[in-house]
Structure formats: structure tokens, C-alpha cells
Amino acid sequence: MLYREALNLALDEMMEKDETVVVLGEDVGFYGGNYRVTEGLYAKYGERRVIDTPIAENSIVGTAIGMALGGLRPVAEIMTANFAMLAMDQIVNSMSKLRYMSGGKLLLPMVVRMPQGVVKQLASQHSQSLESMFACVPGIRVFTASDCITAYHGLKTAIMLDDPVIFLEHTLLYFEKFEFSKDSFYNPFKARVLKEGKDLTIFSYLKMVHDVMKVVTQIENTLNISVEVIDVGPLNPLDLETLTNSVKKTKRFVIVEENPKHGGFGANILSAVLEETFYNLDAPPLRIAGEDTPIPYNRKLELLAIPTPEKIYSKIVKWGKENGL
Amino acid sequence: MAYEIVMPQLTDTMEVGKIVRWLKKEGDYVEVNEPIVEIESDKAIMEVPSLRAGYLTKILAEEGEEIPVGSVIAVISESKEEKLDEKLEEKQKPQEKEETQKELVLPQEEIKVEVKQLPPATASPAAKVLAKENGIDIKTLQEEGKLPIPAHEKDVKSYLINEKFQEDAINFLKDYQLNPEDVAKTFSEKEKITIEDVKNFVTINNIPLKKSITSIRKSLIKNLKTSLEIPVFHIFTELDFSNIPKESGFTITTWFIKILGDCIYQYEKLRTRTDEEFYYVYPTANISVAVDVSGELFAPVIKSIEKKSLTEISQELENIKQKAKEGRFSREDLEGATFSVSNLGMYNVTMFDAIIPPNCAGIVAVGKIVNNVAKLTFSFDHRILNGREGAEFINLLQSKFKDDDYIKSLMG
Amino acid sequence: MQQSLAEKFYYLMKLGRVFELRAKEEYMKGNIGGFLHLAIGEEAVHVGATVAFEKGDIFTHYRDHVYAIAKGIEPKYLMAELFGKKTGVAKGKGGSMHFFEPSLNFYGGNAIVGAHIPHAVGMAYARKYRGENTGVLVAFGDGATNSGNFYESLNLASLWKLPIVFLCENNLYAIGTRIDRASAITDIYLKAKPYMMAKQIDGMDVFEVYKAVMEAKEYIQEESKPYFIEALTYRYEPHSMSDTGNYRSARELEIAKSKDPIERLKKSGLLSESYIKYIDDLVEKEIEEAVEFAKNSPEPEETELYTDIYCEVCKNVIP
């Protein structure tokens, strides 16, 4: 099943089950969604529940807050995380704080979903990974989806939660197929162990997970070790238990993230894990992240600015050899 | 001048497009912006126009074909009978754009590693914990060169093991594929574990040494097990060699092979193989002789014995001996026998029985010659011969050994 | 006077049109990547406004190719930028949506809808502050007029009395959403009327656009107050190369094409046949050379990734 189809299925099921679930965003209704995630919903549920908004991100989130206060469960779509910057005031100053400031009286059961990440030559204003901006604000949950199972279950759970959720997707993953069955089970508050190992843990999320899996066998063969790969899953809250248990076992960890290194979210993961596992470690931890530059238009330069499977392989092998593997 | 029309990039994520329908045919004239083909992208089916005017002189992609973006699908020329560039004909095969390559190219050369210049006492936390537990000082050991800088947990473990065991003890453990750490636990009071200690450990715990089986041996085992399926019966007999001329210049083995071969040539059942559907009767007498090569069993074949003289057979036996010494038999050397001979007489064995090799009708096990007489055990494949026939053959063999004229003819 | 203007318009509109068509072709061949938003059909607005505004600052949205050409940036540098080459206006790091040339007072080229409108307001403030009188023009689409950026800018421009022309290209669609489904007021100039001088014009007639923008320019330079123009126009192509455009009817497209600005100019009688032919050939050649230039230009070096992020010179300021 395609990743975007899994999201579509989750939305469809939730809207069918619960009359209060509504979808709003730019071109989500009549047009079918810029990435076809909301395809078919407009025809099925009508314009009352699938709302095409003008280009006004601040108001998309702002009105969704209002709808949530009024008893609906809005699922707002921001076309890409880059445009969410226009809504940052609503996200940071209202969505995350209304419950707290009201002493728990106000509930905001809403989801703001958006894709992020580098696609292909869309230039710097359309290619960012901005999870740090959201994950560091107390009061909102931040989920990520790296394949169909996490997308489907993650989005359904996000809609059912009474907390505001930022649901991060990746634009390039929309067109990829992943395994899926309705009987699958996934708790979006937990990290997932995608592959077990005993000498090294690699943490990652969103599209980087797949880039890691593409080279993990070669890394194992070159360094003669067994590698554990974990999809970090939620960025807020971090499933520290799973993350630290893994590192206590393997004693070494690497984080692979698409956002620029300086200020990137991997630093949070690194410090949280390091605090618990310092004495267990047999090597310094490694972060493989994007370059500290805006993303350029030229394709060759664009690929230099983010981690790729080849770079992940080389960097981990080099680091491994320099640190006792 | 010809203008190539390529599979267009219709959406920013498209990598291949499917030709749905050609709206024009070869030879048609096309205007600028006139739609010429319908193409299915990853989002929708779209009409694609020609961006030049001219004659559609060649269509290079069929309806229903999927073509990668960027590959040529048609040609527009200024004139109807434009001669096509040869290069274009080659380009007909859809080319892979480097982007769409799914195979990862990982760096082949050694990845350059930077050696860090660090002071002694530098070690990972895990190493330090282990060192502390065992009361060793990392800094001193690094200064003495016994631990690397920086030291990792496995370096400390390795050092501790080497300290705990004598060197020959460690090697012994390696042979037995035992984990030094586990063994060390049972000797916790001992300061230094010697090879005697380890040998004791092995004996007390009855730990076997694991030896690998060569592929030749594995193959033999497989064959022997197949041989088990053959319904076998044995005939025990004696053979009198007193008629063989004493100073013939030929070994007893040579005589035996020759006479046995001539009998086999006469007695077709011993030149027969079966797959239980049919009998396959081979035209000539081929006998294999069991030979030991450094502990491995081979059975090289002497072929067409009925045609060969004692001299020739003697020579072949010599060759076999030579090849055995050098350990080189070719596949041809080992194929084609329908009967086999095994001789343990030189090892003082008076009587034994042998297993019939695959594709043979039988085998004879020859014991030591005592007073000119040797005990023979024949094993026959009951699917090919029965007891009477086996006995008949043996009688033939024995009669040949008593036939003076025949024996004389072999000499001459 | 009319004739020389008409000749200039014809040259620039034709140059823009052929550039766009060629960019589309090169995109389909894979030489241009990412997003490509074509201005085919809207040449009258882009050329008329830019020529009228002459030396003033122009801020536009991402459908900026023809504005850039009309402002005087040579097509070959623009084509090279589309090809991602180092000879492009942004050294290959910006792409189609980010053409900038401050020496020509062209401030591009912005991808976040409506975000550049406050930038233009700030620029107008700075120009006024420094006593420079050439004025600022900011162009945006109908989709941008529903965002906070837009209303805040209208308010500030009139509150601070800034010499700025707001030019709204109303082509009726924001990707797939028609204006009546996104905006309560569909005559956009009416949104600005409470704040400033505002009018609606036919954006498919280059002379009308020129006249309106000239008037606006004179007004803002004299009065130092903002002016709003809504130009009714139409884009023939879908929103971008990733869009199928299935939300528009063929009939609507036909009607729009019947008002094609270039054809209209040809039929106006102000141009001689020989001139038209001369320009057609000249433009064909110029664009062909631009593509050749782009194709033969080198890619940027890998070190280019790390340049132009921070101001190297500024480091010297801190002792």
C-alpha cells in the first residue's frame, strides 16, 4: 500500500466513525489534496466536513483551534512544514498553551499534519526539516510516520487523543509502497525496533530510517558486527526506555537525521540517551545530519546538503574503525 | 534536421511514463502544439503536444510500453523521408537516468581512518568500568604498551583473558572453540590457568573436539548411504592362486584384475547397472580399485580390461599408485566402473566384506593370501543377479584360475 | 511614441513567451528540475507593469520569469539558473522561484505566498526614509489576498503613507481553488478600497496595464500614498509542471486565449509586418543562445554549498 493511501484510509475510517472529525487545509477538498492524501474524502463527506481554506496558514491553525474548542476534532493540513512558519504563533502561543493556561479546562483534541523534508530541487523554502521547532514546545505531541503502519495507526491515534498533535510526514514517502495489514499493531508513543543487533544501535526517523536500512547489511559486513536499527517514532514524548535499553545492550549509538546538525533534533536524542547510558558506552556517539546550510536548487549541491545512504555507510564505517570496531 | 521527442517530465516526481495512445501515426504532419500522444504519469493521463512542426518520421515506443523519463520516444523531421541518425537507432533502448538507478554504489576503496593522538588513561566508560571491577590500571598498562590508546571494553577483556591464561592454554581453548570467559569462571580462585587445567576441564566435562569433514568425505558418506538402499547378498569363497606363474614379473593384483576383467566381459550381468526401470548393459569390462589417498577413499577405474594385456594393466596400476601419491585423480579416472575390487590383504586381514559403490553390480573384498589361497567375499546387487548367477560367476572365475592354456595365453 | 512603446512591448512579451515555452520544453526533457511556474498568458501584466515602473523596485511571487526578463536580466542568465548552473543569477542555488538582481532593483522571486508583501512595504519605508522617490511595486496573485500578510501590509502602507503600488494578478485560481471558494470578496480591489486608491483593469491589454501602472507611479511619487491595482488576467498553463489543471474548463481557457495579449498587440496596427518578423527571429535566436549558454555552463563546485550563508566581510567589523 502507498504511504499516502494509509493516511487516506486512517482519515476515512475516523471520519466515518466519528461525526466530529473534520479536515481542513489548502486544496484538500475539491482538488483532492496536493499530495492526494485527502483524495475522495470531499466526494464522500461533503464540503461541510472537508474544508478548502484560502492561503492563510495562520488562520488554518487558528480556526482549527476554535473548532476544537467548540467540540470538533479538526485535522488541519499544512501543505508543507515550510509554510507552517506562518502559523507558528498559533501553534506555539495558543495550541500548546491553552490547556495549561486554563488550568485544564480547555481541551484541544486536534491534529496538524504536514509533510517535510527534501524532495528534489524545490529550493530552500520548500525543502526544510523543521521538527526541532515543534518538538521543543511543551504542550504539543509530535509524532512521526515512516511507513504505512506508523502512518495509519499514528494518525488514527493522533485524532483520538485529546491533546494537540503535530503529525510529521515526509513528502518523498508519499509515493512509496510499504507493507500493511489492518491487523498490524503500533503504538505511536513507542519507538520501534526495526532490526535487532548487539554491537551498535542506529536511531533514525522519517525517511532517514529507510536510507539507513539500505546500507545496514553492508555496514555489518564491513565492520563484522551486528547492528540494531530503531525508528525513534514520537519526538515528543521520546520513548527513552526503548532507546536507552538498546544502548545499554549495544554500548554504541549513531543518530541519523535529515535536519541541519546545528540545533537539529538529534542533539536532543543524543543528550537524553547519553545521560542514562554514559558508563555503558564503549565509543563516543555519532550524529549524521544535514549540512548547516539552506538547501540549494542545484541537484548535486542539494544531495551534498543532506545524508544519503552512501554517506551514512562511509561515515559509520569510518567512525566504527576509529573507535574500536 | 531531426528533432527528438523524449518521454517528458510531466510531474516533478515522475520517473517513468506509459504510452497510452498515439494520436498521430508515422508519416503524419504535425503542427506546433498539436497533441501527438497520450501519456500516463504517476498522477494522471495527459495529452502531450509536439513542440515542433514537422513530419512524425519515427515512433520508437509502443502503446502500453513504460519508458523512463528522458528517453527518446519519437522523431520529428523537416522532410518526410528524412534519413534517421544511426545514433538514434541505438538510443531506442530506454536509457536509465542516473537518478533512477536503484543500485547503491558504495565506496570500494578503504575508507581513510584518522588516528587520534590521545594521552594515556583515555578509555571508554565501559572499559573503565570493567578495568575497575578487575582491579587493573588502564593508564599504566597503556604506558607499558599492553593496552591500546584509547582502550575499549574488548581491549580490556582481551588483556584480562591473556593475563588469566597461559598462552598455550588459550590456543588449546581456541581449538576446542571454547569461550575463555566461561572457562575462567570455573577457575576463579586460580591466578594463572595452565594448559593442564584446561585439559582437565575438557576431560571432566567430556567436551569433544569439533573437526570438520572434508567435502570429499561428505560425498563418500552420501554415496555409502545410497549404497545401503541396494539389496545386497554375499557369497564367501576361497581362491587358489597356485596356478599363477611364480616368476611372471606381474603382481598378483595384476593377474587378478585381468582374469576378473575377462570373466566380467564374458558374464554380462556384471557389466550391468539398473535404475529399476531398465537394465543398462555396458559393452566393456571396467573395474574400479579401492585406493587410499591420505585417508580419503578413491576408486580409480581400469577400463576395457578384456582388451588389455597384463603389461598394460600393470602399467595402469603403477599410474594409479603414482596419482594416488600425488593425490590427483580426474573425473574421467573415477567414472565408468561396473564392478569394484577392494584389497586389505596387505594389512593382514584374512576376510572382510565391502560395500557396493554406486552404479556397480558388485564388489569383491580380497583378503590376505595364505599358502596361495585367499579368502574372497563377493557382494552382489540382488536387483541384477541372484544367488545362482553369483555362484555361476564365481565358478567361472575359479575355473579360469585353473585353466593352464588360458593363463599361458595371457603371458604370451 | 505609441509605436516605440508597442515595439518594446512586443519584443519583451514575445521574448517572455518564447522563454516560458522553451523552459517548459527543457523541463520535460529533464534539464530543469523542481517547481516551474509559467507565466504564459500573463505577459501583458508582467511586461506592461515592469516597463511602466521603470527604475523602481519590483517584488514578485514565484511566477517571476517574465518580470525578470522585462526588468532587464538577460535570458541566458535566467536559463542558466533554471538549469542549476553556476552562471545562473543565483549561482544555481535558487532556481525558478528565486530570481534576484538588486542592481536592477529586482527583488525576485519568493516562494512563500504573500510573504514578500511586507518586505515590499519595508522597502518602501526605507526608500521614503532616504528620500528616494522611485517607488516600490509588489506583485502577487489572488490567492495571496486572503492571508494575514496581505491585510497587515495594506494597513501599514496606508498608515505610514508609503509610496508603494500593490499589483494583484487575479488569474482566478490558486493552484486548484477558484477565487469564489477562497475569498468572500471576489473583486479584490474592493478589499483595498477602504485603505487606498484602488482600481480594476483588463490585464490582457498591455497598454491598459501600462497606463494604469504609470498613473499609479505618478500618484505614489507625488502623494507618497499607496495605490492598488487589480489586473484581471489568465494563465494558460496549469499552476506548475506538477499540476494537471483538471479543475478548469476548456471553454474558460478558450475564452482567455481569445484575448491573448501578444495577438492583440499584433492586430493593433501599431507594428509593421517587417518588425514583427524581425523580432520573432531575434527572439528565437536569443532564446536558442540562452539555452546553449545554459547547457554549456559548468555546474557549481561542491564548495559552493557552504558559501553565501553568512556575511564573510562582517566578521571584520567585530574587533
Side-chain angles (χ1 to χ4, degrees), chain C residues 53-256:
Chain C
F53 213 69
E54 264 189 297
K55 300 195 188 56
D57 305 304
I58 296 195
F59 285 75
T60 87
H61 44 68
Y62 45 76
R63 204 178 296 281
D64 55 351
H65 301 173
V66 181
Y67 276 112
I69 290 174
K71 203 57 164 106
I73 305 180
E74 282 182 62
K76 69 183 192 193
Y77 297 120
L78 299 175
M79 191 61 83
E81 181 63 29
L82 293 180
F83 275 52
K85 300 296 177 84
K86 102 175 187 190
T87 46
V89 277
K91 301 185 200 162
K93 299 200 278 195
S96 158
M97 302 182 285
H98 306 292
F99 288 159
F100 298 93
E101 193 50 76
S103 64
L104 291 172
N105 288 344
F106 185 70
Y107 292 92
N110 288 282
I112 304 294
V113 173
H116 61 298
I117 309 180
H119 302 173
V121 169
M123 173 66 99
Y125 190 92
R127 291 293 191 204
K128 176 172 172 177
Y129 185 90
R130 291 155 62 126
E132 288 158 15
N133 207 14
T134 41
V136 175
L137 180 126
V138 57
F140 45 89
D142 46 284
T145 65
N146 298 310
S147 77
N149 279 322
F150 174 74
Y151 288 103
E152 290 171 27
S153 303
L154 290 180
N155 185 46
L156 290 176
S158 63
L159 186 67
W160 292 342
K161 296 193 172 31
L162 299 177
I164 175 170
V165 178
F166 292 90
L167 177 62
C168 176
E169 297 169 34
N170 185 353
N171 61 19
L172 300 176
Y173 288 92
I175 304 190
T177 305
R178 219 189 131 90
I179 187 173
D180 57 330
R181 300 181 64 242
S183 186
I185 300 173
T186 50
D187 289 310
I188 295 175
Y189 79 104
L190 292 176
K191 295 187 193 184
K193 216 161 186 358
Y195 297 92
M196 59 189 76
M197 281 289 287
K199 68 193 279 201
Q200 189 185 73
I201 60 168
D202 175 8
M204 302 301 266
D205 181 341
V206 63
F207 274 104
E208 196 168 323
V209 173
Y210 178 80
K211 189 159 144 271
V213 175
M214 276 302 267
E215 268 177 31
K217 185 176 78 168
E218 279 156 20
Y219 176 87
I220 65 174
Q221 282 173 345
E222 259 190 54
E223 310 270 335
S224 187
K225 287 204 289 205
Y227 200 105
F228 192 95
I229 301 174
E230 177 191 353
L232 298 173
T233 179
Y234 204 81
R235 55 165 160 87
Y236 300 168
E237 298 290 316
H239 167 74
S240 75
M241 290 305 291
S242 323
D243 182 32
T244 52
N246 290 341
Y247 42 81
R248 303 192 296 186
S249 67
R251 176 110 185 87
E252 193 182 71
L253 187 54
E254 245 181 76
I255 297 177

Side-chain angles (χ1 to χ4, degrees), chain B residues 199-319:
Chain B
K199 282 186 178 169
N200 253 342
F201 178 84
V202 160
T203 313
I204 291 174
N205 292 293
N206 205 19
I207 300 172
L209 184 61
K210 196 160 108 174
K211 290 184 155 184
S212 52
I213 305 180
T214 62
S215 50
I216 298 173
R217 185 58 71 98
K218 280 192 184 157
S219 181
L220 173 68
I221 292 173
K222 202 158 144 256
N223 284 339
L224 289 171
K225 286 175 74 173
T226 322
S227 298
L228 264 185
E229 289 163 14
I230 302 174
V232 166
F233 70 97
H234 307 287
I235 298 183
F236 307 94
T237 187
E238 285 180 354
L239 190 59
D240 192 344
F241 285 88
S242 27
N243 246 11
I244 306 297
K246 294 295 183 286
E247 310 295 324
S248 65
F250 297 112
T251 61
I252 288 291
T253 314
T254 309
W255 281 98
F256 184 70
I257 299 276
K258 174 59 185 168
I259 299 175
L260 182 66
D262 280 348
C263 291
I264 289 175
Y265 186 64
Q266 266 190 264
Y267 207 79
E268 115 178 349
K269 291 230 162 183
L270 291 224
R271 285 183 276 122
T272 301
R273 174 175 71 81
T274 184
D275 57 7
E276 291 170 32
E277 288 287 320
F278 297 100
Y279 285 124
Y280 300 90
V281 182
Y282 287 89
T284 185
N286 296 340
I287 297 179
S288 63
V289 182
V291 172
D292 178 286
V293 178
S294 323
E296 300 290 3
L297 177 62
F298 286 92
V301 184
I302 305 180
K303 299 191 178 161
S304 301
I305 294 171
E306 73 279 5
K307 291 200 179 53
K308 292 192 172 137
S309 67
L310 285 167
T311 322
E312 286 165 309
I313 291 172
S314 180
Q315 187 55 49
E316 281 206 36
L317 284 168
E318 271 309 308
N319 290 347

Side-chain angles (χ1 to χ4, degrees), chain A residues 26-27 29-31 34-35 42 47 52-56 79 82-83 86 120-126 291-298 300-302 304-305, chain C residues 32-35 81-84 92-95 97-98 110-113 143 146-147 149 174-177 181-182 243 247 299-302 304-306 309:
Chain A
E26 294 158 17
D27 280 320
F30 180 71
Y31 190 77
N34 198 43
Y35 297 105
Y42 185 73
E47 63 173 19
D52 277 324
T53 62
I55 306 176
M79 205 182 271
N82 305 282
F83 309 154
L86 284 156
K120 190 172 175 212
Q121 294 190 269
L122 300 185
S124 53
Q125 287 176 331
H126 281 75
E291 296 295 303
D292 291 322
T293 75
I295 306 288
Y297 163 73
N298 177 286
K300 201 180 61 166
L301 294 184
E302 182 181 62
L304 283 179
Chain C
I32 300 177
F35 284 142
E81 181 63 29
L82 293 180
F83 275 52
K93 299 200 278 195
M97 302 182 285
H98 306 292
N110 288 282
I112 304 294
V113 173
N146 298 310
S147 77
N149 279 322
I175 304 190
T177 305
R181 300 181 64 242
D243 182 32
Y247 42 81
E299 295 255 327
E301 287 93 19
E302 291 187 5
E304 211 40 70
L305 177 64
Y306 302 100
I309 304 174

Side-chain angles (χ1 to χ4, degrees), chain B residues 232 234 236 342 344 349 351-356 363-366 376-379:
Chain B
V232 166
H234 307 287
F236 307 94
S342 181
L344 291 178
V349 171
M351 189 170 100
F352 70 107
D353 84 38
I355 298 181
I356 303 178
I363 186 170
V364 58
V366 181
L376 265 48
T377 308
F378 280 85
S379 306

Side-chain angles (χ1 to χ4, degrees), chain B residues 130-189:
Chain B
L130 189 61
K132 193 148 180 226
E133 282 173 2
N134 287 279
I136 59 171
D137 182 37
I138 292 181
K139 180 161 185 226
T140 323
L141 291 174
Q142 284 173 328
E143 282 164 349
E144 290 170 5
K146 292 186 180 155
L147 279 177
I149 305 176
H152 295 93
E153 193 185 51
K154 74 173 199 295
D155 303 316
V156 175
K157 272 192 192 165
S158 189
Y159 171 79
L160 289 170
I161 293 292
N162 285 331
E163 286 299 296
K164 185 85 175 172
F165 289 83
Q166 300 260 4
E167 196 177 330
D168 49 3
I170 296 191
N171 292 335
F172 189 82
L173 283 179
K174 281 209 186 94
D175 290 338
Y176 270 79
Q177 296 179 357
L178 289 171
N179 186 349
E181 278 171 50
D182 298 331
V183 177
K185 286 198 194 114
T186 62
F187 289 97
S188 46
E189 356 64 57

